[in-house]
Amino acid sequence: YNGYDPSASGLSTFMYETSGDSVDYFHGKVGVASVLFEIGDAFLQDCDTFDSTIVGDNIPALFYAAKVSRNPLKTPGGIDVKKVTFDSSGQTLFVTIEMEGPNVFSLVADEIMLFIDSHPYDRPTPKYELMSPTIPSRAAGRVDTTNLAAGRHTACIQVKDRQSVAGAVTCAYFDVRPTANKEASHRHSQRFVN
């Protein structure tokens, strides 16, 4: 996400020596797997460079770290949703996704789950197992929106590979709008919610 190489204290690629940090503390005290981001290219980064370059370079990596925080040692090994596209016809919402991951071409998506107005970590939650891979890195499906109220809705998508490893959850908004003839129309918002 940001082009930085993973490193740790004691390695020649690390900026400076340290005898311990919050990663060590959290793992030692409560057994939590954690990641520490050392961002920037100087120990005391000037504010102009930080605001104009460093923040933009690292926001995607920080968002991804938040998305996989529930299981940071396993989730990054799964297949992730890179892009979600919505289109509509009458009361049918067509969903197309692009996937990526360390094994997206060798590990075929086994289950692609779509959750409307709920997150897969909320239990129990209704899901649509309707998406089928079209090529190894893409999938498509459709949802009948007849029973959805007019207004903004959230679609969360999670992909599991054949080893049942679930990738990070990706969520996006779509709007259901009534038309003059009472059929629903849809508009996709590019703003991702996680």
Side-chain angles (χ1 to χ4, degrees), residues 1-2 23 32-39 57-76 80 100 119 121 167-170 194:
Y1 284 96
N2 58 11
V23 171
V32 173
S34 58
V35 175
L36 174 69
F37 279 80
E38 290 277 353
I39 58 175
D57 287 350
N58 287 282
I59 288 295
L62 294 169
F63 274 126
Y64 187 75
K67 286 172 66 169
V68 301
S69 63
R70 183 176 178 125
N71 194 347
L73 299 179
K74 191 171 185 180
T75 303
D80 297 328
E100 67 181 358
H119 193 280
Y121 297 160
V169 177
T170 296
N194 63 334

Side-chain angles (χ1 to χ4, degrees), residues 55-107:
V55 171
D57 287 350
N58 287 282
I59 288 295
L62 294 169
F63 274 126
Y64 187 75
K67 286 172 66 169
V68 301
S69 63
R70 183 176 178 125
N71 194 347
L73 299 179
K74 191 171 185 180
T75 303
I79 300 171
D80 297 328
V81 175
K82 179 172 80 171
K83 182 179 179 184
V84 181
T85 306
F86 297 107
D87 197 4
S88 65
S89 175
Q91 293 179 308
T92 302
L93 177 68
F94 295 95
V95 184
T96 304
I97 64 170
E98 292 180 23
M99 298 172 280
E100 67 181 358
N103 301 307
V104 74
F105 291 103
S106 60
L107 294 177

Side-chain angles (χ1 to χ4, degrees), residues 122-193:
D122 300 334
R123 299 284 187 233
T125 185
K127 67 181 176 182
Y128 299 86
E129 294 180 34
L130 51 86
M131 305 190 84
S132 59
T134 54
I135 59 173
S137 62
R138 293 179 59 102
R142 59 182 163 205
V143 178
D144 181 358
T145 61
T146 304
N147 295 323
L148 293 178
R152 176 157 283 186
H153 295 273
T154 304
C156 293
I157 301 168
Q158 187 173 41
V159 180
K160 285 187 180 178
D161 65 23
R162 290 195 175 153
Q163 283 77 39
S164 293
V165 175
V169 177
T170 296
C171 300
Y173 295 120
F174 68 94
D175 293 324
V176 174
R177 297 185 182 206
T179 61
N181 63 1
K182 304 293 185 191
E183 287 188 348
S185 65
H186 309 85
R187 183 176 58 85
H188 172 242
S189 171
Q190 291 291 344
R191 182 172 173 228
F192 287 93
V193 294

